[in-house]
């Protein structure tokens, strides 16, 4: 069970500058946080400790802790006054059991805190970070407000009716009194709320007349009556929601959240909206893939608005007929503490997974910065992300989009049968997580690329064994082949274990021939054999990569290699300016498989490009 500690005297955060685009920055590790998955119910608990500025406990005797939350999409809220359990009131400790409605929507809560109520007075804790991971496997709760006083009252009505055999009048009188008391309480607590029970009284009067006339109520009568009440109650809840607003002075949410101003980073700038809207003309007859790479999301000024860049390409999927979006590696920068790395990875993946249009697949490729090994002097399991932690955030075991992987690998493929295209993504930093005797990592993930035998064997004998040779393959990886784009950019030649094997396999696939190599003496030993003679010559649309932070295209060893510049707006990059259209940079590759042509639609810095293959 997660333990949260709140100091009600000293806890503080900076005010949010933009009250409409309300987003709290939780990058400072001192903040409490909680993570759950959609549709969890009842077992997600936190133990809450409330202390004074000197560390002494706050006496919570007679206090009712209320959880208040504003859900990720900004349209619904939770006000839960019934799921707290006082453990040690005098020492300021209580437990809160989160109900299923708290996990209706995936993403990061816009606001979550506890309100400590006693004798009509209250004090609140500082907000905490509450993130809900997506569950793509099942469908569960329908999003709605969850305000426990109203929920309790609704179910109490059912109970009154069920027990009304001998004393219906008394039961109805009691229920009416409860409604009136609740509305009086809300009128007292929330300035500006204006609720009416006139329609509900009329509905109950009809129920009374029915019972008095017939003496008994049939099950059909009861169900019909309750259906009518449900509609009235929904209207009551709607009126309450409007009155509560966004916890400000009667600011009605529905007028604000009907458009894309709810995106990460606030309203999409006009110059980006104009470009996004142009993507509606992209041909649905082509195979279309969004490719964003080297975003280096980091909670600092190093990567300005980096999280919003994922929201922008997700917005493109709501306009263009995209089969998939590939996030091509260095999705985060991996610079700070392990806690911040986890937070940044969670933010990057949840932003793209949960904002891409339904029907657009999303695949995260692993890059050399993503686990943080050898970044900023971090080089131990305690300071860097493990292979398992990366896989958990990339949802590799879930196979959310029906893709094929090698177990829960960071590489995989997906077939798009209507286009006869197989989309393949590889892990170009496929290195062992071996530790030295001093507890540091043996391999330099930051500077050393490579492919192990298992991945290359899988590529050769599974991923490149297509249904027939009328199919074409499109391959994505983070690091390009050594001797290609880094040389063109004036950088030192890359070091990549077994790049010759990767080239040999792809060339054999393209020529419809055999390939075999065994070498146990290599740093990453190799033993690969494959035969494409019966399959015939294959078509590789291209080997697409990032890593170099510059655009490029070349035929290298018979392979069409294409490079996309970084989404990161780094201050040292010429032509990239924060808060202008040059800040972001990514492509939509629109492939005409019949003509064997690619048009790269550019978003942000740079221009469109055209290729043949």
């Amino acid at each position: 069970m997660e333990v949260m500690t709140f100091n009600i005297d000293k806890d503080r955060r900076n005010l949010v500058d933009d009250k409409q685009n309300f987003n709290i920055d939780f990058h400072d590790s001192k903040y409490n946080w909680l993570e759950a998955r959609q549709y969890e119910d009842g077992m997600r608990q936190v133990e809450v400790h409330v202390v004074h500025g000197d560390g002494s406990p706050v006496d919570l005797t007679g206090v009712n802790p209320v959880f208040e939350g504003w859900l990720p999409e900004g349209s619904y809220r939770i006000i839960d006054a019934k799921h707290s359990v006082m453990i040690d009131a005098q020492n300021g400790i209580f437990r809160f059991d989160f109900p299923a409605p708290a996990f209706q929507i995936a993403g990061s809560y816009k606001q979550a805190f506890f309100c400590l109520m006693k004798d009509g007075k209250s004090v609140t804790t500082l907000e905490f970070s509450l993130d809900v991971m997506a569950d793509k496997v099942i469908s569960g709760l329908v999003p709605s407000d969850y305000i426990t006083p109203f929920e309790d009252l609704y179910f109490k009505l059912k109970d009154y009716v069920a027990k009304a055999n001998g004393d219906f009048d008394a039961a109805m009188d009691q229920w009416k009194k409860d409604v009136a008391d609740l509305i009086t309480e809300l009128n007292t607590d929330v300035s500006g709320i204006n609720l009416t029970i006139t329609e509900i009284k009329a509905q109950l009067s009809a129920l009374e007349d029915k019972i008095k006339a017939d003496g008994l109520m049939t099950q059909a009568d009861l169900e019909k009556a309750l259906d009518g009440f449900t509609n009235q109650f929904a209207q009551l809840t709607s009126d309450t929601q409007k009155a509560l607003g966004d916890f400000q002075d009667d600011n009605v949410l529905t007028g604000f959240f009907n458009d894309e101003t709810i995106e990460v980073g606030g309203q999409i700038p006009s110059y980006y909206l104009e470009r996004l809207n142009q993507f509606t003309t992209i041909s649905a007859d082509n195979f279309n893939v969004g490719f964003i790479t080297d975003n280096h999301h980091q909670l600092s000024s190093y990567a300005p608005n980096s999280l919003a860049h994922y929201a922008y390409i997700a917005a493109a999927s709501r306009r263009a007929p995209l089969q998939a979006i590939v996030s091509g590696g260095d999705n985060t920068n991996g610079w700070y503490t392990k806690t911040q790395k986890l937070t940044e990875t969670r933010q990057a993946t949840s932003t793209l997974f949960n904002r891409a249009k339904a029907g657009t697949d999303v695949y995260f490729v692993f890059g050399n910065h993503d686990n943080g090994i050898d970044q900023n002097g971090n080089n131990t399991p305690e300071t860097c992300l493990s292979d398992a932690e990366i896989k958990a955030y990339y949802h590799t075991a879930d196979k959310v989009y029906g893709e094929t992987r090698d177990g829960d690998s960071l590489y995989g493929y997906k077939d798009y049968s209507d286009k006869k295209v197989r989309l393949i993504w590889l892990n170009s930093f496929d290195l062992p997580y071996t530790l030295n005797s001093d507890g540091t990592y043996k391999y330099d993930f930051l500077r050393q690329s490579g492919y192990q035998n298992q991945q290359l064997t899988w590529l050769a004998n599974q991923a490149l064994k297509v249904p027939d040779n009328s199919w074409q393959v499109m391959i994505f990886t983070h690091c390009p082949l050594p001797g290609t784009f880094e040389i063109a950019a004036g950088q030192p030649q890359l070091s990549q274990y077994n790049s010759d094997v990767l080239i040999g396999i792809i060339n054999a696939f393209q020529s419809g021939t055999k390939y075999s190599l065994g070498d146990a003496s290599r740093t990453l030993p190799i033993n690969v054999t494959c035969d494409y003679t019966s399959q015939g010559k294959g078509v590789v649309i291209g080997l697409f990569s990032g890593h170099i932070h510059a655009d490029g295209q070349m035929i290298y060893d018979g392979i069409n290699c294409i490079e996309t510049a970084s989404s990161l707006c780094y201050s040292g990059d010429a032509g990239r300016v924060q808060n202008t259209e040059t800040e972001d940079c990514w492509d939509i590759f629109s492939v005409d498989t019949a003509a064997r042509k690619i048009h790269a639609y550019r978003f942000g810095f740079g221009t469109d490009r055209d290729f043949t293959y």
Side-chain angles (χ1 to χ4, degrees), residues 389-512:
E389 286 167 327
I390 293 289
K391 288 177 177 178
Y393 283 118
Y394 290 6
H395 291 285
T396 61
D398 302 332
K399 301 178 178 64
V400 176
Y401 303 101
E403 72 271 22
T404 298
R405 295 180 186 265
D406 185 7
D408 65 345
S409 65
L410 289 166
Y411 49 90
Y413 73 80
K414 170 75 180 285
D415 284 343
Y416 297 86
S417 301
D418 59 328
K419 307 296 183 183
K420 285 195 171 183
V421 172
R422 175 170 290 180
L423 181 65
I424 302 171
W425 57 99
L426 302 177
N427 177 8
S428 57
F429 288 85
D430 179 17
L431 304 174
Y433 281 73
T434 307
L435 293 178
N436 297 312
S437 59
D438 62 356
T440 60
Y441 285 107
K442 176 180 178 180
Y443 290 94
D444 182 356
F445 281 77
L446 190 63
R447 302 169 186 85
Q448 178 63 61
S449 178
Y451 297 88
Q452 294 191 64
N453 187 72
Q454 182 174 338
Q455 181 180 187
L456 291 170
T457 298
W458 173 88
L459 172 67
N461 292 297
Q462 292 189 50
L464 290 178
K465 291 299 179 79
V466 292
D468 61 65
N469 70 347
S470 66
W471 281 61
Q472 301 179 17
V473 299
M474 196 172 187
I475 306 173
F476 288 86
T477 191
H478 179 65
C479 187
L481 296 171
T484 56
F485 301 113
E486 82 280 23
I487 303 301
Q491 301 174 12
Q493 181 160 328
L494 294 165
S495 176
Q496 187 174 93
Y497 297 134
N498 298 329
S499 61
D500 59 322
V501 182
L502 176 63
I503 293 170
I505 293 169
I506 295 175
N507 283 338
F509 170 80
Q510 291 185 125
S511 60

Side-chain angles (χ1 to χ4, degrees), residues 54-218:
D54 60 0
S56 63
V58 174
D59 189 349
L60 298 181
T61 302
V63 169
N64 181 29
V66 178
F67 170 69
E68 296 188 20
W70 189 5
L71 272 66
E73 291 299 325
S75 298
Y76 302 103
R77 70 217 70 241
I78 303 290
I79 302 176
D80 191 334
K82 63 181 291 186
H83 285 95
S84 61
V85 178
M86 196 59 66
I87 297 176
D88 187 347
Q90 290 185 338
N91 286 309
I93 302 173
F94 67 90
R95 190 186 78 225
F96 188 83
D97 306 331
F98 285 88
F103 307 127
Q104 300 169 98
I105 300 174
S108 297
Y109 264 58
K110 297 179 77 64
Q111 192 173 40
F113 58 92
F114 292 102
C115 182
L116 308 178
M117 305 288 297
K118 182 178 180 180
D119 299 330
K121 299 178 181 179
S122 67
V123 65
T124 64
T125 69
L126 192 66
E127 290 98 337
F128 60 94
S129 175
L130 176 51
D131 295 321
V132 182
M133 297 182 294
D135 186 339
K136 301 291 186 178
V137 179
I138 65 171
S139 295
L141 298 172
V142 176
S144 65
D145 291 310
Y146 181 71
I147 304 175
T148 51
F150 284 110
E151 299 287 331
D152 292 344
L153 201 58
Y154 175 62
F155 287 108
K156 191 179 290 184
L157 172 65
K158 288 187 176 181
D159 187 55
Y160 287 164
V161 175
K163 296 177 179 178
N165 291 340
D167 195 5
F168 182 85
D169 289 342
M172 289 299 99
D173 288 342
Q174 180 61 45
W175 187 81
K176 292 175 187 177
K177 181 178 182 299
D178 288 348
V179 172
D181 289 347
L182 174 62
I183 292 173
T184 300
E185 180 182 347
L186 287 173
N187 273 318
T188 301
D189 291 344
V190 184
S191 174
I193 193 167
N194 183 17
L195 305 175
T196 176
I197 61 171
T198 302
E199 292 181 332
I200 295 176
K201 285 183 176 179
Q203 184 73 21
L204 294 177
S205 177
L207 289 177
E208 291 180 61
D209 292 341
K210 179 68 176 177
I211 289 177
K212 290 175 180 178
D214 297 342
L216 292 174
M217 176 178 278
T218 66

Side-chain angles (χ1 to χ4, degrees), residues 353-366:
F353 277 136
N354 294 303
R355 281 169 173 75
K357 182 180 178 180
T360 298
D361 302 336
V362 175
Y363 308 115
F364 277 84
V365 173
F366 180 68

